[in-house]
Amino acid sequence: SYNVTDANIVVAFVKAAGFEILGVTPASIQTSSEFILQEVSKVESSSELDDGGEVDVNSPVLISKEASTKGKAVTESVNVLLTERAVSAEVTKIFYDHCKGAHGTLSKSLVTTDSKLKKMEKRCEQDRLLAGSLTEAREKGLQDARKLRESLWKSVEAMSDILDLPMPQLEEDDKEEAAEGGPGVEVWTKSAGDEDGADFGPFDDEETRIFYCDIPDFLTTVPPALLGLTEDEIEKR
């Protein structure tokens, strides 16, 4: 694993090195070249069908013949340019391996930061509902975490494009938890066979049932010191 102390410097180096040193065609250039070649192919196919052939309506031609000719020439020139190297193959491999390792470290950091941020946002949302607002320190901490996550995302996105590496998969929000009303303790729930949703058990209506049965998470209402927990232990739960 790599210890990346300054992501901005690493990203700046990767951008400056480019394919001449790293020996890799950026993913965005590959995508653009493939799109141009597909359009050129459609233009050439449509030209062959001018004599009465049937045109595929599901694949319309988006560029003119003139643009197709220019696009094909530019693509061929770019492909030749991308083969040029400023250093030997051995040096290219060394640089690429180091940059790939840094990309892996930043990707793991992005996944971890994103997961912690989502937990922090849920905790802060609960605190807002219970207390009405957040302390200035909590607000600042939340904003700093969002800025860090955004900065890491941009860094990893740029390196993924230049090094032609996949973006890390981030955890999706827990939809089931959101549908059930959060992480509070549910004392009673409606029967699974109740399709019309009119069975409120021993209560007259849904609001009365929620008042008596939806118990807030104690971690959001009781000071950590009284529970014998530290702030770090609270965040992990």
Side-chain angles (χ1 to χ4, degrees), residues 144-178:
D144 289 344
R146 285 172 174 166
K147 290 179 181 179
L148 175 60
R149 191 264 187 199
E150 182 180 0
S151 176
L152 282 171
W153 175 269
K154 290 180 179 179
S155 297
V156 174
E157 186 178 41
M159 293 185 69
S160 294
D161 176 40
I162 298 172
L163 298 174
D164 191 22
L165 294 172
M167 286 289 292
Q169 295 294 323
L170 302 181
E171 296 180 1
E172 295 183 359
D173 292 334
D174 191 345
K175 297 181 180 179
E176 293 183 359
E177 181 179 347

PDB file of all heavy atoms in Angstrom, residues 144-178:
ATOM      1  N   ASP A 144     -16.645  20.145   6.603  1.00  0.00           N
ATOM      2  CA  ASP A 144     -15.271  19.720   6.308  1.00  0.00           C
ATOM      3  C   ASP A 144     -15.260  18.309   5.727  1.00  0.00           C
ATOM      4  O   ASP A 144     -14.490  18.018   4.795  1.00  0.00           O
ATOM      5  CB  ASP A 144     -14.418  19.767   7.576  1.00  0.00           C
ATOM      6  CG  ASP A 144     -14.137  21.193   8.030  1.00  0.00           C
ATOM      7  OD1 ASP A 144     -14.329  22.117   7.212  1.00  0.00           O
ATOM      8  OD2 ASP A 144     -13.739  21.383   9.199  1.00  0.00           O
ATOM      9  N   ALA A 145     -16.107  17.432   6.270  1.00  0.00           N
ATOM     10  CA  ALA A 145     -16.166  16.059   5.764  1.00  0.00           C
ATOM     11  C   ALA A 145     -16.684  16.037   4.329  1.00  0.00           C
ATOM     12  O   ALA A 145     -16.204  15.262   3.492  1.00  0.00           O
ATOM     13  CB  ALA A 145     -17.067  15.212   6.668  1.00  0.00           C
ATOM     14  N   ARG A 146     -17.653  16.887   4.025  1.00  0.00           N
ATOM     15  CA  ARG A 146     -18.184  16.945   2.655  1.00  0.00           C
ATOM     16  C   ARG A 146     -17.143  17.480   1.682  1.00  0.00           C
ATOM     17  O   ARG A 146     -17.023  16.989   0.550  1.00  0.00           O
ATOM     18  CB  ARG A 146     -19.432  17.828   2.631  1.00  0.00           C
ATOM     19  CG  ARG A 146     -20.673  17.164   3.241  1.00  0.00           C
ATOM     20  CD  ARG A 146     -21.825  18.135   3.376  1.00  0.00           C
ATOM     21  NE  ARG A 146     -23.047  17.463   3.835  1.00  0.00           N
ATOM     22  CZ  ARG A 146     -24.114  18.097   4.279  1.00  0.00           C
ATOM     23  NH1 ARG A 146     -24.132  19.421   4.317  1.00  0.00           N
ATOM     24  NH2 ARG A 146     -25.173  17.411   4.676  1.00  0.00           N
ATOM     25  N   LYS A 147     -16.375  18.478   2.104  1.00  0.00           N
ATOM     26  CA  LYS A 147     -15.319  19.030   1.239  1.00  0.00           C
ATOM     27  C   LYS A 147     -14.230  17.997   0.989  1.00  0.00           C
ATOM     28  O   LYS A 147     -13.710  17.889  -0.131  1.00  0.00           O
ATOM     29  CB  LYS A 147     -14.730  20.282   1.884  1.00  0.00           C
ATOM     30  CG  LYS A 147     -15.667  21.483   1.903  1.00  0.00           C
ATOM     31  CD  LYS A 147     -15.020  22.681   2.582  1.00  0.00           C
ATOM     32  CE  LYS A 147     -15.971  23.874   2.616  1.00  0.00           C
ATOM     33  NZ  LYS A 147     -15.355  25.037   3.303  1.00  0.00           N
ATOM     34  N   LEU A 148     -13.875  17.226   2.032  1.00  0.00           N
ATOM     35  CA  LEU A 148     -12.856  16.187   1.874  1.00  0.00           C
ATOM     36  C   LEU A 148     -13.327  15.122   0.904  1.00  0.00           C
ATOM     37  O   LEU A 148     -12.571  14.682   0.029  1.00  0.00           O
ATOM     38  CB  LEU A 148     -12.541  15.556   3.233  1.00  0.00           C
ATOM     39  CG  LEU A 148     -11.567  14.366   3.214  1.00  0.00           C
ATOM     40  CD1 LEU A 148     -10.227  14.788   2.636  1.00  0.00           C
ATOM     41  CD2 LEU A 148     -11.399  13.789   4.621  1.00  0.00           C
ATOM     42  N   ARG A 149     -14.584  14.726   1.037  1.00  0.00           N
ATOM     43  CA  ARG A 149     -15.119  13.705   0.146  1.00  0.00           C
ATOM     44  C   ARG A 149     -15.140  14.202  -1.299  1.00  0.00           C
ATOM     45  O   ARG A 149     -14.787  13.473  -2.228  1.00  0.00           O
ATOM     46  CB  ARG A 149     -16.534  13.342   0.613  1.00  0.00           C
ATOM     47  CG  ARG A 149     -17.119  12.098  -0.068  1.00  0.00           C
ATOM     48  CD  ARG A 149     -17.978  12.480  -1.224  1.00  0.00           C
ATOM     49  NE  ARG A 149     -18.683  11.339  -1.783  1.00  0.00           N
ATOM     50  CZ  ARG A 149     -19.202  11.325  -2.993  1.00  0.00           C
ATOM     51  NH1 ARG A 149     -19.104  12.386  -3.778  1.00  0.00           N
ATOM     52  NH2 ARG A 149     -19.837  10.256  -3.447  1.00  0.00           N
ATOM     53  N   GLU A 150     -15.537  15.451  -1.508  1.00  0.00           N
ATOM     54  CA  GLU A 150     -15.579  16.018  -2.857  1.00  0.00           C
ATOM     55  C   GLU A 150     -14.178  16.117  -3.460  1.00  0.00           C
ATOM     56  O   GLU A 150     -13.970  15.817  -4.636  1.00  0.00           O
ATOM     57  CB  GLU A 150     -16.218  17.409  -2.810  1.00  0.00           C
ATOM     58  CG  GLU A 150     -16.358  18.064  -4.178  1.00  0.00           C
ATOM     59  CD  GLU A 150     -17.003  19.435  -4.113  1.00  0.00           C
ATOM     60  OE1 GLU A 150     -17.336  19.886  -2.995  1.00  0.00           O
ATOM     61  OE2 GLU A 150     -17.185  20.055  -5.173  1.00  0.00           O
ATOM     62  N   SER A 151     -13.207  16.523  -2.633  1.00  0.00           N
ATOM     63  CA  SER A 151     -11.829  16.636  -3.104  1.00  0.00           C
ATOM     64  C   SER A 151     -11.268  15.274  -3.494  1.00  0.00           C
ATOM     65  O   SER A 151     -10.620  15.124  -4.543  1.00  0.00           O
ATOM     66  CB  SER A 151     -10.959  17.268  -2.013  1.00  0.00           C
ATOM     67  OG  SER A 151      -9.601  17.311  -2.404  1.00  0.00           O
ATOM     68  N   LEU A 152     -11.517  14.260  -2.671  1.00  0.00           N
ATOM     69  CA  LEU A 152     -11.052  12.908  -2.981  1.00  0.00           C
ATOM     70  C   LEU A 152     -11.715  12.374  -4.242  1.00  0.00           C
ATOM     71  O   LEU A 152     -11.072  11.725  -5.073  1.00  0.00           O
ATOM     72  CB  LEU A 152     -11.343  11.972  -1.804  1.00  0.00           C
ATOM     73  CG  LEU A 152     -10.390  12.062  -0.608  1.00  0.00           C
ATOM     74  CD1 LEU A 152     -10.926  11.242   0.558  1.00  0.00           C
ATOM     75  CD2 LEU A 152      -9.000  11.572  -0.999  1.00  0.00           C
ATOM     76  N   TRP A 153     -13.004  12.657  -4.404  1.00  0.00           N
ATOM     77  CA  TRP A 153     -13.718  12.189  -5.594  1.00  0.00           C
ATOM     78  C   TRP A 153     -13.093  12.773  -6.868  1.00  0.00           C
ATOM     79  O   TRP A 153     -12.866  12.048  -7.845  1.00  0.00           O
ATOM     80  CB  TRP A 153     -15.189  12.572  -5.511  1.00  0.00           C
ATOM     81  CG  TRP A 153     -15.956  12.225  -6.761  1.00  0.00           C
ATOM     82  CD1 TRP A 153     -16.165  13.018  -7.860  1.00  0.00           C
ATOM     83  CD2 TRP A 153     -16.575  10.966  -7.069  1.00  0.00           C
ATOM     84  NE1 TRP A 153     -16.880  12.352  -8.817  1.00  0.00           N
ATOM     85  CE2 TRP A 153     -17.150  11.088  -8.358  1.00  0.00           C
ATOM     86  CE3 TRP A 153     -16.715   9.775  -6.367  1.00  0.00           C
ATOM     87  CZ2 TRP A 153     -17.833  10.043  -8.964  1.00  0.00           C
ATOM     88  CZ3 TRP A 153     -17.408   8.733  -6.975  1.00  0.00           C
ATOM     89  CH2 TRP A 153     -17.954   8.881  -8.260  1.00  0.00           C
ATOM     90  N   LYS A 154     -12.811  14.069  -6.859  1.00  0.00           N
ATOM     91  CA  LYS A 154     -12.219  14.709  -8.038  1.00  0.00           C
ATOM     92  C   LYS A 154     -10.834  14.142  -8.338  1.00  0.00           C
ATOM     93  O   LYS A 154     -10.475  13.930  -9.502  1.00  0.00           O
ATOM     94  CB  LYS A 154     -12.140  16.223  -7.822  1.00  0.00           C
ATOM     95  CG  LYS A 154     -13.499  16.912  -7.819  1.00  0.00           C
ATOM     96  CD  LYS A 154     -13.352  18.408  -7.609  1.00  0.00           C
ATOM     97  CE  LYS A 154     -14.706  19.109  -7.640  1.00  0.00           C
ATOM     98  NZ  LYS A 154     -14.583  20.570  -7.417  1.00  0.00           N
ATOM     99  N   SER A 155     -10.048  13.901  -7.280  1.00  0.00           N
ATOM    100  CA  SER A 155      -8.695  13.363  -7.466  1.00  0.00           C
ATOM    101  C   SER A 155      -8.742  11.959  -8.056  1.00  0.00           C
ATOM    102  O   SER A 155      -8.038  11.646  -9.025  1.00  0.00           O
ATOM    103  CB  SER A 155      -7.944  13.345  -6.135  1.00  0.00           C
ATOM    104  OG  SER A 155      -7.771  14.643  -5.632  1.00  0.00           O
ATOM    105  N   VAL A 156      -9.576  11.098  -7.478  1.00  0.00           N
ATOM    106  CA  VAL A 156      -9.675   9.719  -7.955  1.00  0.00           C
ATOM    107  C   VAL A 156     -10.269   9.678  -9.362  1.00  0.00           C
ATOM    108  O   VAL A 156      -9.844   8.879 -10.211  1.00  0.00           O
ATOM    109  CB  VAL A 156     -10.533   8.876  -6.985  1.00  0.00           C
ATOM    110  CG1 VAL A 156     -10.763   7.480  -7.544  1.00  0.00           C
ATOM    111  CG2 VAL A 156      -9.859   8.783  -5.630  1.00  0.00           C
ATOM    112  N   GLU A 157     -11.239  10.542  -9.634  1.00  0.00           N
ATOM    113  CA  GLU A 157     -11.858  10.590 -10.961  1.00  0.00           C
ATOM    114  C   GLU A 157     -10.833  10.967 -12.024  1.00  0.00           C
ATOM    115  O   GLU A 157     -10.790  10.358 -13.107  1.00  0.00           O
ATOM    116  CB  GLU A 157     -13.012  11.587 -10.960  1.00  0.00           C
ATOM    117  CG  GLU A 157     -13.813  11.617 -12.246  1.00  0.00           C
ATOM    118  CD  GLU A 157     -14.969  12.589 -12.177  1.00  0.00           C
ATOM    119  OE1 GLU A 157     -14.794  13.693 -11.623  1.00  0.00           O
ATOM    120  OE2 GLU A 157     -16.065  12.250 -12.666  1.00  0.00           O
ATOM    121  N   ALA A 158      -9.998  11.968 -11.730  1.00  0.00           N
ATOM    122  CA  ALA A 158      -8.975  12.401 -12.687  1.00  0.00           C
ATOM    123  C   ALA A 158      -7.946  11.296 -12.929  1.00  0.00           C
ATOM    124  O   ALA A 158      -7.574  11.017 -14.080  1.00  0.00           O
ATOM    125  CB  ALA A 158      -8.285  13.660 -12.174  1.00  0.00           C
ATOM    126  N   MET A 159      -7.497  10.647 -11.846  1.00  0.00           N
ATOM    127  CA  MET A 159      -6.502   9.586 -11.996  1.00  0.00           C
ATOM    128  C   MET A 159      -7.090   8.370 -12.700  1.00  0.00           C
ATOM    129  O   MET A 159      -6.399   7.709 -13.489  1.00  0.00           O
ATOM    130  CB  MET A 159      -5.959   9.189 -10.620  1.00  0.00           C
ATOM    131  CG  MET A 159      -5.142  10.279  -9.942  1.00  0.00           C
ATOM    132  SD  MET A 159      -4.397   9.729  -8.387  1.00  0.00           S
ATOM    133  CE  MET A 159      -3.176   8.557  -8.982  1.00  0.00           C
ATOM    134  N   SER A 160      -8.342   8.053 -12.438  1.00  0.00           N
ATOM    135  CA  SER A 160      -8.992   6.921 -13.093  1.00  0.00           C
ATOM    136  C   SER A 160      -9.056   7.133 -14.603  1.00  0.00           C
ATOM    137  O   SER A 160      -8.854   6.194 -15.381  1.00  0.00           O
ATOM    138  CB  SER A 160     -10.413   6.728 -12.538  1.00  0.00           C
ATOM    139  OG  SER A 160     -10.373   6.353 -11.185  1.00  0.00           O
ATOM    140  N   ASP A 161      -9.328   8.369 -15.012  1.00  0.00           N
ATOM    141  CA  ASP A 161      -9.403   8.677 -16.438  1.00  0.00           C
ATOM    142  C   ASP A 161      -8.035   8.561 -17.095  1.00  0.00           C
ATOM    143  O   ASP A 161      -7.868   7.872 -18.097  1.00  0.00           O
ATOM    144  CB  ASP A 161      -9.966  10.086 -16.636  1.00  0.00           C
ATOM    145  CG  ASP A 161      -9.969  10.499 -18.101  1.00  0.00           C
ATOM    146  OD1 ASP A 161     -10.281   9.644 -18.948  1.00  0.00           O
ATOM    147  OD2 ASP A 161      -9.669  11.672 -18.389  1.00  0.00           O
ATOM    148  N   ILE A 162      -7.029   9.198 -16.514  1.00  0.00           N
ATOM    149  CA  ILE A 162      -5.698   9.234 -17.120  1.00  0.00           C
ATOM    150  C   ILE A 162      -5.039   7.858 -17.116  1.00  0.00           C
ATOM    151  O   ILE A 162      -4.366   7.469 -18.079  1.00  0.00           O
ATOM    152  CB  ILE A 162      -4.810  10.257 -16.390  1.00  0.00           C
ATOM    153  CG1 ILE A 162      -5.406  11.663 -16.534  1.00  0.00           C
ATOM    154  CG2 ILE A 162      -3.384  10.237 -16.942  1.00  0.00           C
ATOM    155  CD1 ILE A 162      -4.720  12.712 -15.692  1.00  0.00           C
ATOM    156  N   LEU A 163      -5.220   7.102 -16.020  1.00  0.00           N
ATOM    157  CA  LEU A 163      -4.594   5.781 -15.905  1.00  0.00           C
ATOM    158  C   LEU A 163      -5.467   4.665 -16.470  1.00  0.00           C
ATOM    159  O   LEU A 163      -5.061   3.496 -16.458  1.00  0.00           O
ATOM    160  CB  LEU A 163      -4.285   5.481 -14.434  1.00  0.00           C
ATOM    161  CG  LEU A 163      -3.302   6.431 -13.744  1.00  0.00           C
ATOM    162  CD1 LEU A 163      -3.215   6.108 -12.257  1.00  0.00           C
ATOM    163  CD2 LEU A 163      -1.927   6.350 -14.393  1.00  0.00           C
ATOM    164  N   ASP A 164      -6.687   5.017 -16.933  1.00  0.00           N
ATOM    165  CA  ASP A 164      -7.634   4.039 -17.472  1.00  0.00           C
ATOM    166  C   ASP A 164      -7.928   2.953 -16.435  1.00  0.00           C
ATOM    167  O   ASP A 164      -7.835   1.747 -16.716  1.00  0.00           O
ATOM    168  CB  ASP A 164      -7.099   3.405 -18.759  1.00  0.00           C
ATOM    169  CG  ASP A 164      -8.164   2.582 -19.488  1.00  0.00           C
ATOM    170  OD1 ASP A 164      -9.357   2.832 -19.246  1.00  0.00           O
ATOM    171  OD2 ASP A 164      -7.793   1.694 -20.288  1.00  0.00           O
ATOM    172  N   LEU A 165      -8.291   3.404 -15.231  1.00  0.00           N
ATOM    173  CA  LEU A 165      -8.625   2.497 -14.139  1.00  0.00           C
ATOM    174  C   LEU A 165     -10.067   2.753 -13.703  1.00  0.00           C
ATOM    175  O   LEU A 165     -10.565   3.876 -13.838  1.00  0.00           O
ATOM    176  CB  LEU A 165      -7.680   2.705 -12.953  1.00  0.00           C
ATOM    177  CG  LEU A 165      -6.214   2.333 -13.186  1.00  0.00           C
ATOM    178  CD1 LEU A 165      -5.371   2.772 -12.002  1.00  0.00           C
ATOM    179  CD2 LEU A 165      -6.070   0.829 -13.433  1.00  0.00           C
ATOM    180  N   PRO A 166     -10.763   1.755 -13.176  1.00  0.00           N
ATOM    181  CA  PRO A 166     -12.177   1.938 -12.770  1.00  0.00           C
ATOM    182  C   PRO A 166     -12.307   2.778 -11.515  1.00  0.00           C
ATOM    183  O   PRO A 166     -11.413   2.777 -10.649  1.00  0.00           O
ATOM    184  CB  PRO A 166     -12.661   0.509 -12.536  1.00  0.00           C
ATOM    185  CG  PRO A 166     -11.421  -0.246 -12.151  1.00  0.00           C
ATOM    186  CD  PRO A 166     -10.313   0.367 -12.971  1.00  0.00           C
ATOM    187  N   MET A 167     -13.414   3.486 -11.410  1.00  0.00           N
ATOM    188  CA  MET A 167     -13.729   4.221 -10.187  1.00  0.00           C
ATOM    189  C   MET A 167     -14.165   3.231  -9.106  1.00  0.00           C
ATOM    190  O   MET A 167     -14.756   2.199  -9.401  1.00  0.00           O
ATOM    191  CB  MET A 167     -14.849   5.225 -10.438  1.00  0.00           C
ATOM    192  CG  MET A 167     -14.438   6.446 -11.232  1.00  0.00           C
ATOM    193  SD  MET A 167     -13.381   7.555 -10.272  1.00  0.00           S
ATOM    194  CE  MET A 167     -14.534   8.164  -9.036  1.00  0.00           C
ATOM    195  N   PRO A 168     -13.863   3.514  -7.848  1.00  0.00           N
ATOM    196  CA  PRO A 168     -14.289   2.616  -6.766  1.00  0.00           C
ATOM    197  C   PRO A 168     -15.806   2.626  -6.604  1.00  0.00           C
ATOM    198  O   PRO A 168     -16.462   3.628  -6.878  1.00  0.00           O
ATOM    199  CB  PRO A 168     -13.591   3.190  -5.529  1.00  0.00           C
ATOM    200  CG  PRO A 168     -13.394   4.641  -5.853  1.00  0.00           C
ATOM    201  CD  PRO A 168     -13.120   4.686  -7.324  1.00  0.00           C
ATOM    202  N   GLN A 169     -16.353   1.516  -6.156  1.00  0.00           N
ATOM    203  CA  GLN A 169     -17.784   1.405  -5.915  1.00  0.00           C
ATOM    204  C   GLN A 169     -18.099   1.900  -4.505  1.00  0.00           C
ATOM    205  O   GLN A 169     -17.575   1.366  -3.533  1.00  0.00           O
ATOM    206  CB  GLN A 169     -18.246  -0.053  -6.067  1.00  0.00           C
ATOM    207  CG  GLN A 169     -18.106  -0.590  -7.482  1.00  0.00           C
ATOM    208  CD  GLN A 169     -19.032   0.121  -8.455  1.00  0.00           C
ATOM    209  OE1 GLN A 169     -20.162   0.461  -8.116  1.00  0.00           O
ATOM    210  NE2 GLN A 169     -18.549   0.342  -9.674  1.00  0.00           N
ATOM    211  N   LEU A 170     -18.940   2.917  -4.414  1.00  0.00           N
ATOM    212  CA  LEU A 170     -19.316   3.475  -3.116  1.00  0.00           C
ATOM    213  C   LEU A 170     -20.565   2.788  -2.597  1.00  0.00           C
ATOM    214  O   LEU A 170     -21.406   2.325  -3.377  1.00  0.00           O
ATOM    215  CB  LEU A 170     -19.553   4.985  -3.238  1.00  0.00           C
ATOM    216  CG  LEU A 170     -18.378   5.803  -3.759  1.00  0.00           C
ATOM    217  CD1 LEU A 170     -18.744   7.287  -3.798  1.00  0.00           C
ATOM    218  CD2 LEU A 170     -17.134   5.600  -2.901  1.00  0.00           C
ATOM    219  N   GLU A 171     -20.690   2.723  -1.284  1.00  0.00           N
ATOM    220  CA  GLU A 171     -21.843   2.080  -0.666  1.00  0.00           C
ATOM    221  C   GLU A 171     -23.100   2.888  -0.958  1.00  0.00           C
ATOM    222  O   GLU A 171     -23.095   4.114  -0.913  1.00  0.00           O
ATOM    223  CB  GLU A 171     -21.656   1.972   0.848  1.00  0.00           C
ATOM    224  CG  GLU A 171     -20.497   1.073   1.256  1.00  0.00           C
ATOM    225  CD  GLU A 171     -20.354   0.992   2.762  1.00  0.00           C
ATOM    226  OE1 GLU A 171     -21.169   1.619   3.467  1.00  0.00           O
ATOM    227  OE2 GLU A 171     -19.439   0.310   3.229  1.00  0.00           O
ATOM    228  N   GLU A 172     -24.199   2.176  -1.235  1.00  0.00           N
ATOM    229  CA  GLU A 172     -25.471   2.836  -1.470  1.00  0.00           C
ATOM    230  C   GLU A 172     -26.183   3.047  -0.147  1.00  0.00           C
ATOM    231  O   GLU A 172     -25.959   2.329   0.831  1.00  0.00           O
ATOM    232  CB  GLU A 172     -26.353   1.994  -2.394  1.00  0.00           C
ATOM    233  CG  GLU A 172     -25.774   1.839  -3.793  1.00  0.00           C
ATOM    234  CD  GLU A 172     -26.706   1.075  -4.707  1.00  0.00           C
ATOM    235  OE1 GLU A 172     -27.772   0.661  -4.225  1.00  0.00           O
ATOM    236  OE2 GLU A 172     -26.366   0.887  -5.881  1.00  0.00           O
ATOM    237  N   ASP A 173     -27.053   4.060  -0.116  1.00  0.00           N
ATOM    238  CA  ASP A 173     -27.814   4.340   1.102  1.00  0.00           C
ATOM    239  C   ASP A 173     -28.720   3.161   1.428  1.00  0.00           C
ATOM    240  O   ASP A 173     -29.233   2.482   0.532  1.00  0.00           O
ATOM    241  CB  ASP A 173     -28.672   5.602   0.926  1.00  0.00           C
ATOM    242  CG  ASP A 173     -27.802   6.840   0.824  1.00  0.00           C
ATOM    243  OD1 ASP A 173     -26.679   6.814   1.356  1.00  0.00           O
ATOM    244  OD2 ASP A 173     -28.251   7.822   0.203  1.00  0.00           O
ATOM    245  N   ASP A 174     -28.904   2.944   2.703  1.00  0.00           N
ATOM    246  CA  ASP A 174     -29.774   1.858   3.161  1.00  0.00           C
ATOM    247  C   ASP A 174     -31.240   2.265   2.971  1.00  0.00           C
ATOM    248  O   ASP A 174     -31.818   2.956   3.794  1.00  0.00           O
ATOM    249  CB  ASP A 174     -29.494   1.566   4.639  1.00  0.00           C
ATOM    250  CG  ASP A 174     -30.166   0.279   5.094  1.00  0.00           C
ATOM    251  OD1 ASP A 174     -31.051  -0.209   4.354  1.00  0.00           O
ATOM    252  OD2 ASP A 174     -29.823  -0.228   6.177  1.00  0.00           O
ATOM    253  N   LYS A 175     -31.835   1.834   1.861  1.00  0.00           N
ATOM    254  CA  LYS A 175     -33.209   2.221   1.539  1.00  0.00           C
ATOM    255  C   LYS A 175     -34.203   1.620   2.532  1.00  0.00           C
ATOM    256  O   LYS A 175     -35.207   2.236   2.850  1.00  0.00           O
ATOM    257  CB  LYS A 175     -33.551   1.778   0.119  1.00  0.00           C
ATOM    258  CG  LYS A 175     -32.695   2.459  -0.952  1.00  0.00           C
ATOM    259  CD  LYS A 175     -33.094   1.987  -2.337  1.00  0.00           C
ATOM    260  CE  LYS A 175     -32.230   2.671  -3.399  1.00  0.00           C
ATOM    261  NZ  LYS A 175     -32.585   2.202  -4.754  1.00  0.00           N
ATOM    262  N   GLU A 176     -33.900   0.418   3.000  1.00  0.00           N
ATOM    263  CA  GLU A 176     -34.819  -0.215   3.946  1.00  0.00           C
ATOM    264  C   GLU A 176     -34.890   0.569   5.240  1.00  0.00           C
ATOM    265  O   GLU A 176     -35.948   0.760   5.816  1.00  0.00           O
ATOM    266  CB  GLU A 176     -34.369  -1.654   4.223  1.00  0.00           C
ATOM    267  CG  GLU A 176     -34.482  -2.571   3.003  1.00  0.00           C
ATOM    268  CD  GLU A 176     -34.098  -3.988   3.353  1.00  0.00           C
ATOM    269  OE1 GLU A 176     -33.736  -4.215   4.528  1.00  0.00           O
ATOM    270  OE2 GLU A 176     -34.157  -4.854   2.468  1.00  0.00           O
ATOM    271  N   GLU A 177     -33.723   1.045   5.697  1.00  0.00           N
ATOM    272  CA  GLU A 177     -33.702   1.810   6.941  1.00  0.00           C
ATOM    273  C   GLU A 177     -34.477   3.101   6.794  1.00  0.00           C
ATOM    274  O   GLU A 177     -35.219   3.519   7.683  1.00  0.00           O
ATOM    275  CB  GLU A 177     -32.251   2.110   7.339  1.00  0.00           C
ATOM    276  CG  GLU A 177     -32.139   2.893   8.636  1.00  0.00           C
ATOM    277  CD  GLU A 177     -30.700   3.164   9.016  1.00  0.00           C
ATOM    278  OE1 GLU A 177     -29.801   2.558   8.424  1.00  0.00           O
ATOM    279  OE2 GLU A 177     -30.485   3.995   9.910  1.00  0.00           O
ATOM    280  N   ALA A 178     -34.347   3.733   5.621  1.00  0.00           N
ATOM    281  CA  ALA A 178     -35.065   4.983   5.387  1.00  0.00           C
ATOM    282  C   ALA A 178     -36.568   4.739   5.340  1.00  0.00           C
ATOM    283  O   ALA A 178     -37.369   5.535   5.826  1.00  0.00           O
ATOM    284  CB  ALA A 178     -34.593   5.616   4.077  1.00  0.00           C
TER     285      ALA A 178
END
